[in-house]
């Protein structure tokens, strides 16, 4: 792992600009700050466990059906009608690990925020939006890894690969999800580089 600059802002797509511009948002808030505030807004009642925290969020986001299926992707969300109030179904890939399914469920539930706040785009055919995907990853990490508890844990460890795996295991998330959360909160300013040995003996960089 190597240290890197932590960027607090990202260029916004037109969809994310519309998301940020919705009424009721505090002036000057970034898309990330809005996403985190919305995630935390559904978790005000103290949950006994992280799983209960996730369930609170799913109920608050009107996720009515969760199904597993043979998919060629990790999962997706689909509206049950033409309005946010009609609710949503999330489909998860049966071949994914439990850790991956858990993150995918949180990620897809975050998409419902865009359906609620930017319905004029989300309820009509539209191309995938990379910034929306990144924000839903950000929101999923915020949901699965509460800030206050993580800050306490980080004080007890040094930034290193072993600590990263330890923290990821404590929250039942992938190392990539944990690193995203640590970097977004400014707790660690590092970058993870992963190399994979290929069948021909060479290495590929991720």
């Amino acid at each position: 792992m190597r240290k890197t600059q932590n960027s607090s802002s990202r260029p916004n797509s037109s969809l994310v600009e519309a998301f940020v511009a919705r009424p009721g948002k505090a002036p000057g808030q970034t898309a990330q700050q809005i996403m985190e505030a919305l995630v935390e807004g559904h978790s005000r009642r103290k949950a006994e466990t992280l799983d209960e925290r996730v369930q609170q969020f799913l109920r608050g986001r009107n996720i009515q059906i969760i199904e597993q299926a043979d998919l060629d992707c990790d999962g997706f969300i689909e509206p049950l009608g033409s309005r946010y109030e009609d609710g949503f179904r999330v489909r998860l890939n049966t071949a994914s690990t439990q850790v991956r399914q858990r993150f995918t469920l949180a990620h897809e539930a975050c998409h419902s925020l865009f359906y609620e706040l930017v319905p004029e785009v989300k309820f009509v055919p539209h191309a995938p939006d990379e910034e929306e995907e990144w924000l839903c990853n950000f929101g999923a990490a915020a949901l699965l890894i509460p800030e206050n508890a993580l800050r306490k844990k980080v004080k007890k460890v040094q930034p290193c690969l072993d600590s990263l795996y330890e923290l990821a295991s404590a929250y039942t998330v992938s190392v990539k999800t944990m690193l995203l959360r640590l970097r977004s909160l400014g707790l660690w300013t590092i970058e993870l580089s992963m190399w994979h040995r290929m069948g021909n003996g060479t290495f590929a960089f991720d």
Side-chain angles (χ1 to χ4, degrees):
M1 296 190 296
R2 57 193 175 92
K3 290 189 176 182
T4 188
Q5 294 296 320
N6 181 35
S7 174
S8 60
S9 63
R10 295 171 62 89
N12 291 335
S13 65
S14 58
L15 172 62
V16 173
E17 287 288 357
F19 173 77
V20 171
R22 291 297 94 169
K25 306 300 183 297
Q29 277 191 312
T30 66
Q32 296 97 307
Q33 289 171 332
I34 292 170
M35 174 62 76
E36 182 146 17
L38 290 170
V39 168
E40 289 301 326
H42 287 287
S43 307
R44 288 173 184 165
R45 184 169 64 83
K46 184 173 178 59
E48 295 294 329
T49 66
L50 289 175
D51 283 340
E52 183 179 328
R53 175 179 165 90
V54 173
Q55 291 303 314
Q56 285 180 12
F57 185 69
L58 296 176
R59 289 192 296 270
R61 296 313 312 149
N62 208 6
I63 307 299
Q64 298 183 13
I65 303 171
I66 301 171
E67 296 178 344
Q68 295 200 15
D70 293 327
L71 306 173
D72 57 3
C73 61
D74 288 325
F76 59 88
I77 187 172
E78 54 186 5
L80 295 175
S82 58
R83 305 175 308 152
Y84 167 78
E85 290 78 11
D86 295 329
F88 301 89
R89 174 193 291 113
V90 173
R91 297 186 183 226
L92 304 173
N93 192 337
T94 55
S96 296
T97 65
Q98 287 188 336
V99 169
R100 189 64 189 175
Q101 285 190 1
R102 189 165 171 262
F103 180 84
T104 299
L105 180 58
H107 170 99
E108 297 302 331
C110 287
H111 277 294
S112 69
L113 292 163
F114 288 87
Y115 280 97
E116 180 182 17
L117 298 176
V118 199
E120 67 275 17
V121 175
K122 294 299 292 181
F123 280 100
V124 298
H126 61 282
D129 186 289
E130 290 186 4
E131 284 302 307
E132 179 189 4
E133 294 299 327
W134 188 90
L135 276 173
C136 288
N137 281 344
F138 179 91
L143 175 64
L144 298 175
I145 310 168
E147 178 180 353
N148 291 339
L150 180 61
R151 287 187 180 277
K152 292 178 182 178
K153 287 183 180 294
V154 167
K155 289 179 180 179
K156 302 176 183 179
V157 300
Q158 293 296 319
C160 66
L161 193 57
D162 285 343
S163 296
L164 180 59
Y165 276 99
E166 180 183 332
L167 290 169
S169 177
Y171 287 91
T172 321
V173 297
S174 70
V175 292
K176 290 183 179 180
T177 300
M178 179 54 68
L179 186 58
L180 170 63
R181 189 64 169 146
L182 290 166
R183 283 165 53 95
S184 68
L185 291 173
L187 297 174
W188 286 8
T189 54
I190 59 173
E191 185 173 295
L192 177 64
S193 301
M194 301 185 72
W195 295 82
H196 302 277
R197 189 179 184 90
M198 308 297 286
N200 61 6
T202 61
F203 288 86
F205 173 65
D206 182 4

